[in-house]
Amino acid sequence: MRILVLGGDGYLGWPTAMYFSIRGHNVMIVDSLSKRLWEAECEALPLWPVPTIHQRVRHWHDVSGKSIGITIVDIAANDRQLYQMLGDFQPEAIIHYAEQPSAPFSMISRQKAVQTQQNNVVGTLNLLFAMKSRCPDAHLVKLGTMGEYGTPNIDIEEGFLEITHNGRKDTLPFPKQPGSFYHLSKVHDSHNIMFACKVWGLRATDLNQGVVYGMETEETRLAPDLLRTSFHYDAVFGTALNRFCVQAALGVPLTVYGKGGQTRGFLNIQDTIQCVDLTVRNPPGPEEYRVFNQFTEIFTVAELAERVKGAGKHLGLNVTINHIPNPRAEQEQHYYNPSHTKLTELGLKPRRLSDVLIEEMLEAVIRAKGHVDEQVLYPTVKWREL
Amino acid sequence: MRILVLGGDGYLGWPTAMYFSIRGHNVMIVDSLSKRLWEAECEALPLWPVPTIHQRVRHWHDVSGKSIGITIVDIAANDRQLYQMLGDFQPEAIIHYAEQPSAPFSMISRQKAVQTQQNNVVGTLNLLFAMKSRCPDAHLVKLGTMGEYGTPNIDIEEGFLEITHNGRKDTLPFPKQPGSFYHLSKVHDSHNIMFACKVWGLRATDLNQGVVYGMETEETRLAPDLLRTSFHYDAVFGTALNRFCVQAALGVPLTVYGKGGQTRGFLNIQDTIQCVDLTVRNPPGPEEYRVFNQFTEIFTVAELAERVKGAGKHLGLNVTINHIPNPRAEQEQHYYNPSHTKLTELGLKPRRLSDVLIEEMLEAVIRAKGHVDEQVLYPTVKWREL
């Protein structure tokens, strides 16, 4: 298949591109490289240095013998180049990671909130129009987030909910209660994509993904120094488990925000790729907009910290846990029971979070701990302040 | 009270500004004048020429002895001027009409869709941040649209719905199914505003308004030639009843889109102002985001055409009705039962659509029919095409 990976220079995009490339697909990476700018702005570099995208693709060719194309374009700014590229490449699947991915980043300031919504919403709008014009049969695989739903007091379904009200019935989009301007941007995208499928007959799958952890995939392991993906541990771009592992390796307390009863769906980075692969291999029909909830396990943040503490103990680390004031505006104890059967029905085989995996991550981080910038571990962005 | 009217040069904004001014409030109009550019782009001038905003305010002073302030600023582009102005004026209420208001305009092209969402979403985001910084106790009165809900097969509630699902219960945002990139922009706004109220303690009322008709208010009648509001009859900016009246006056068939069973809430322009006044006089508490459904009557488009036909007959006009292919993507026969009790509870006294009012509109249009540009009456923007 001809597969475009938008955001192919990112944490998930790069291993996704290699995954499809080694399996014989014709892969083109599209990226604006904006994430590297944002990292520099936030003083939040990945733990290991990341080669440029051109170097990465050369390394990949050296290791695998496979070629991956590169187009450097900001899809939110350069619609002409986007149309041209879709017309030339004629993708069958478009895997869309090309968004500003951080909730704290979106809450730094007015400028960052606007930048996040503009980048994400306009980029996706441009993509929808370009698809309609140049490749209307392509399958859009869009990364959303479980955070679109918030934490309602009812079971969360996959995108839609059958509602009975005053004796009448309809199946309607699941009500959204996103918790940051970033999460809001994903909700806006979902509404725009649903509409484009309806009026233009496009086909799309919205993957409402949980929190991703992990640093390795089958392809990065082929030559870790050359092919590894970015690993963020800072309070802006780092996700919870990755950050906890760095704190444990450093011997500083794990920082749990508030009570730590915040419950979320989690998944291994390899399962992100497995889910995207299953989605690409099972496209929807024309006009179909479908939503899959993409995670494999549910933990509270406090449970996650306890898991890291336990694995650390096994390695002889003395791990402590601090509850710090919650910089976010979120419920710290709440009901959470999201459905996630659709990807399982397509054949998803979940990798559970094992103590062995946590220990492997801890060992890798310990080897690199000289590179950790401790100050970026602590949250400076506060939801209720500006 | 100190009242800001954002979009005060528009169809609703200008009469709203006069209404509050004559009642002794300190009114400041804010406008980017973008609407005048968009009208020129679409070759869609108002039926009567509209003085500049500076002339309007001078005329108003001559007629009423009252002063209205003017700030020309694009709130989506010039955030510094917006912050400055809120800080200086310290508004108690901010009535926000400053958005691109047309569904067909938003469906013209990629560029117009992006422009609509960027103008509306970023303008409102800037406003929320500026309020948080400069006047956090002000009451935001935001004009939304009944089109945010679409046409679900259940009763539409006012913003929120109590949902029971798998034996558990919660009150959640009413699911949205907007029908154009314009309507989508209003849904995005609603989500952003709800979040800002929650995390920053702002107070806001989202007025999900029906289709407005009419050309006169108490204040425009004081000196119609000097103070009238814009009257659009074209297929881009004109609303259904206004357009039908112009077609009847011209002796050309009324153009009903498709079957005409599309059912919508409608209200008189004077009731828009009455609703806004009731809302301003009954502000929500801090952190409160509330939604009122703002319309007084429900008609199908076909019924509206029949009403114009009947009133025309009374005036000796031979009015005919044509069903033309629907340029929009919408259900033409559907269930529609939206709740609208909250403004009634605050004291709204609806003006029903009377045959007398239609006849007055017809007579006014007949006097001006030499100025009508017939070609702009017919839809050229098609939802499913680009």
Side-chain angles (χ1 to χ4, degrees):
Chain A
M1 284 176 84
R2 291 180 301 279
I3 299 178
L4 272 187
V5 181
L6 310 182
D9 190 35
Y11 173 54
L12 302 176
W14 172 239
T16 301
M18 291 191 290
Y19 175 94
F20 285 105
S21 174
I22 208 162
R23 282 160 182 78
H25 297 288
N26 183 356
V27 176
M28 167 84 81
I29 282 176
V30 177
D31 207 294
S32 68
L33 312 183
S34 308
K35 177 77 186 312
R36 292 175 185 250
L37 167 68
W38 301 329
E39 289 168 7
E41 274 186 283
C42 297
E43 306 178 72
L45 295 182
L47 182 52
W48 290 275
V50 171
T52 68
I53 187 64
H54 294 88
Q55 289 170 331
R56 289 175 135 177
V57 163
R58 279 201 299 273
H59 294 327
W60 176 244
H61 187 261
D62 293 344
V63 171
S64 71
K66 301 284 186 184
S67 297
I68 291 178
I70 303 175
T71 302
I72 305 299
V73 57
D74 182 345
I75 64 167
N78 195 334
D79 53 286
R80 277 185 75 176
Q81 200 181 341
L82 174 62
Y83 277 62
Q84 179 78 45
M85 192 252 304
L86 292 192
D88 291 347
F89 188 69
Q90 286 295 312
E92 291 152 283
I94 300 175
I95 303 166
H96 179 14
Y97 297 108
E99 301 210 325
Q100 192 294 99
S102 159
F105 184 90
S106 77
M107 299 302 294
I108 291 174
S109 64
R110 182 204 67 80
Q111 190 268 337
K112 292 285 187 285
V114 168
Q115 186 179 20
T116 298
Q117 294 208 352
Q118 186 156 310
N119 181 77
N120 295 2
V121 175
V122 175
T124 299
L125 267 182
N126 282 346
L127 178 62
L128 293 167
F129 276 88
M131 287 177 65
K132 157 75 173 150
S133 170
R134 299 304 159 89
C135 54
D137 291 322
H139 173 198
L140 173 60
V141 179
K142 166 64 165 58
L143 271 286
T145 162
M146 286 299 294
E148 295 186 34
Y149 301 116
T151 54
N153 193 41
I154 60 173
D155 293 346
I156 294 171
E157 301 302 329
E158 297 192 72
F160 295 88
L161 179 64
E162 186 179 294
I163 297 175
T164 304
H165 178 49
N166 298 344
R168 299 182 62 89
K169 202 177 278 192
D170 202 354
T171 298
L172 297 173
F174 197 95
K176 303 294 179 76
Q177 298 181 107
S180 75
F181 288 113
Y182 154 75
H183 291 100
L184 282 154
S185 77
K186 296 279 189 177
V187 170
H188 306 342
D189 280 344
S190 293
H191 281 104
N192 284 340
I193 297 168
M194 179 167 63
F195 175 72
C197 291
K198 186 182 131 191
V199 298
W200 298 333
L202 300 185
R203 58 187 92 206
T205 309
D206 208 339
L207 298 175
N208 282 348
Q209 186 168 248
V211 184
V212 185
Y213 60 81
M215 47 177 64
E216 291 190 320
T217 68
E218 278 177 45
E219 287 72 36
T220 66
R221 278 189 215 104
L222 295 174
D225 287 342
L226 300 175
L227 301 178
R228 68 162 55 89
T229 192
S230 53
F231 180 85
H232 283 284
Y233 59 92
D234 61 276
V236 174
F237 294 108
T239 56
L241 184 67
N242 292 1
R243 199 169 65 240
F244 290 159
C245 285
V246 170
Q247 291 174 318
L250 233 59
V252 302
L254 315 191
T255 47
V256 169
Y257 297 168
K259 294 187 184 128
Q262 302 92 313
T263 313
R264 300 289 183 268
F266 289 83
L267 74 167
N268 187 302
I269 186 170
Q270 296 181 86
D271 283 347
T272 293
I273 293 169
Q274 190 191 168
C275 290
V276 168
D277 180 39
L278 288 167
T279 303
V280 166
R281 286 196 279 117
N282 296 277
E287 277 189 60
E288 192 179 346
Y289 167 75
R290 55 182 192 180
V291 180
F292 297 163
N293 292 347
Q294 177 166 312
F295 62 94
T296 57
E297 291 174 279
I298 287 178
F299 301 107
T300 67
V301 174
E303 282 168 354
L304 218 54
E306 287 297 335
R307 292 289 299 271
V308 173
K309 183 176 176 172
K313 192 171 179 182
H314 200 240
L315 294 182
L317 299 172
N318 178 25
V319 180
T320 59
I321 297 173
N322 262 7
H323 289 259
I324 64 171
N326 195 337
R328 305 189 176 210
E330 61 187 2
Q331 293 184 75
E332 296 177 3
Q333 303 282 1
H334 57 91
Y335 181 75
Y336 200 62
N337 186 31
S339 170
H340 57 128
T341 60
K342 291 190 182 179
L343 282 159
T344 309
E345 285 161 16
L346 293 181
L348 173 63
K349 302 274 176 281
R351 288 164 180 82
R352 306 265 169 219
L353 175 61
S354 68
D355 293 339
V356 171
L357 178 97
I358 301 178
E359 289 173 31
E360 283 173 5
M361 284 177 66
L362 283 170
E363 287 171 331
V365 174
I366 287 169
R367 286 193 297 274
K369 76 178 183 182
H371 301 298
V372 172
D373 179 357
E374 195 195 327
Q375 75 174 5
V376 302
L377 287 163
Y378 306 104
T380 55
V381 183
K382 299 192 171 62
W383 261 233
R384 298 191 191 275
E385 294 168 25
L386 280 180
Chain B
M1 285 176 85
R2 292 180 300 279
I3 299 177
L4 273 187
V5 181
L6 309 182
D9 190 36
Y11 173 54
L12 302 176
W14 172 239
T16 300
M18 292 191 290
Y19 175 93
F20 284 106
S21 174
I22 208 163
R23 282 162 182 78
H25 298 287
N26 183 356
V27 175
M28 168 83 81
I29 283 176
V30 177
D31 208 294
S32 67
L33 312 182
S34 309
K35 178 79 186 309
R36 292 175 185 250
L37 167 67
W38 300 331
E39 289 168 8
E41 273 185 285
C42 296
E43 305 180 71
L45 295 182
L47 183 51
W48 289 276
V50 171
T52 69
I53 187 64
H54 294 89
Q55 289 169 332
R56 288 174 135 179
V57 164
R58 278 201 299 276
H59 295 327
W60 176 244
H61 187 262
D62 294 344
V63 170
S64 71
K66 302 284 185 184
S67 296
I68 292 178
I70 303 175
T71 302
I72 305 300
V73 57
D74 182 343
I75 65 166
N78 195 334
D79 53 286
R80 278 185 74 176
Q81 201 181 340
L82 174 62
Y83 276 62
Q84 179 78 47
M85 193 251 305
L86 292 193
D88 291 346
F89 188 69
Q90 285 296 312
E92 291 152 284
I94 300 174
I95 304 166
H96 180 16
Y97 298 109
E99 300 210 326
Q100 193 293 99
S102 158
F105 184 90
S106 76
M107 300 301 295
I108 291 173
S109 64
R110 183 204 66 81
Q111 190 268 337
K112 292 285 187 283
V114 168
Q115 186 179 20
T116 298
Q117 295 207 352
Q118 187 156 308
N119 181 77
N120 295 2
V121 175
V122 175
T124 298
L125 268 182
N126 283 345
L127 179 62
L128 293 167
F129 276 87
M131 287 177 65
K132 157 75 173 150
S133 169
R134 301 302 161 90
C135 55
D137 291 323
H139 173 199
L140 173 60
V141 180
K142 166 65 165 55
L143 271 286
T145 163
M146 286 300 294
E148 295 186 35
Y149 300 116
T151 53
N153 193 42
I154 60 172
D155 293 346
I156 294 171
E157 300 304 328
E158 298 190 73
F160 295 88
L161 178 65
E162 187 179 294
I163 296 176
T164 303
H165 177 50
N166 297 346
R168 298 183 62 89
K169 201 178 278 192
D170 203 352
T171 298
L172 297 173
F174 198 96
K176 303 294 180 74
Q177 298 181 107
S180 74
F181 288 111
Y182 154 75
H183 292 101
L184 282 153
S185 76
K186 297 279 190 178
V187 171
H188 305 342
D189 280 343
S190 294
H191 281 104
N192 284 340
I193 297 168
M194 179 166 63
F195 174 73
C197 290
K198 185 181 130 192
V199 298
W200 298 332
L202 300 184
R203 56 187 94 208
T205 310
D206 208 340
L207 298 175
N208 282 349
Q209 185 168 249
V211 184
V212 185
Y213 60 81
M215 49 178 64
E216 290 189 321
T217 68
E218 278 176 46
E219 288 71 37
T220 67
R221 277 188 216 105
L222 295 175
D225 285 343
L226 301 176
L227 301 178
R228 67 160 56 91
T229 193
S230 52
F231 181 85
H232 282 284
Y233 60 92
D234 60 276
V236 173
F237 294 109
T239 57
L241 184 69
N242 292 1
R243 198 168 66 239
F244 289 160
C245 284
V246 169
Q247 291 174 318
L250 234 61
V252 301
L254 314 192
T255 47
V256 170
Y257 297 168
K259 292 187 186 130
Q262 302 93 311
T263 313
R264 299 290 183 268
F266 288 84
L267 75 166
N268 188 302
I269 185 170
Q270 295 181 87
D271 283 346
T272 292
I273 293 169
Q274 190 191 168
C275 290
V276 167
D277 181 38
L278 288 167
T279 303
V280 166
R281 286 196 279 117
N282 296 277
E287 278 189 59
E288 192 179 347
Y289 167 75
R290 53 180 195 182
V291 181
F292 298 163
N293 292 347
Q294 177 166 310
F295 63 93
T296 58
E297 291 175 282
I298 287 177
F299 301 108
T300 67
V301 174
E303 282 167 356
L304 218 55
E306 287 297 335
R307 292 289 299 272
V308 173
K309 183 176 177 173
K313 191 169 182 185
H314 200 240
L315 294 181
L317 299 172
N318 178 24
V319 180
T320 58
I321 296 172
N322 263 7
H323 289 259
I324 65 171
N326 196 338
R328 303 188 178 210
E330 61 187 2
Q331 293 184 75
E332 296 177 3
Q333 304 282 0
H334 58 90
Y335 181 75
Y336 200 63
N337 187 32
S339 169
H340 58 128
T341 60
K342 292 190 182 180
L343 283 159
T344 310
E345 284 160 18
L346 293 181
L348 173 63
K349 303 273 176 280
R351 290 164 179 83
R352 306 264 170 220
L353 175 61
S354 68
D355 292 340
V356 171
L357 178 97
I358 300 177
E359 287 174 31
E360 283 173 6
M361 284 177 65
L362 284 170
E363 286 171 332
V365 174
I366 287 167
R367 288 193 296 274
K369 76 178 185 182
H371 302 296
V372 173
D373 179 358
E374 194 194 329
Q375 77 174 5
V376 302
L377 287 163
Y378 307 105
T380 55
V381 183
K382 299 193 172 63
W383 261 233
R384 297 190 191 276
E385 294 168 26
L386 281 180

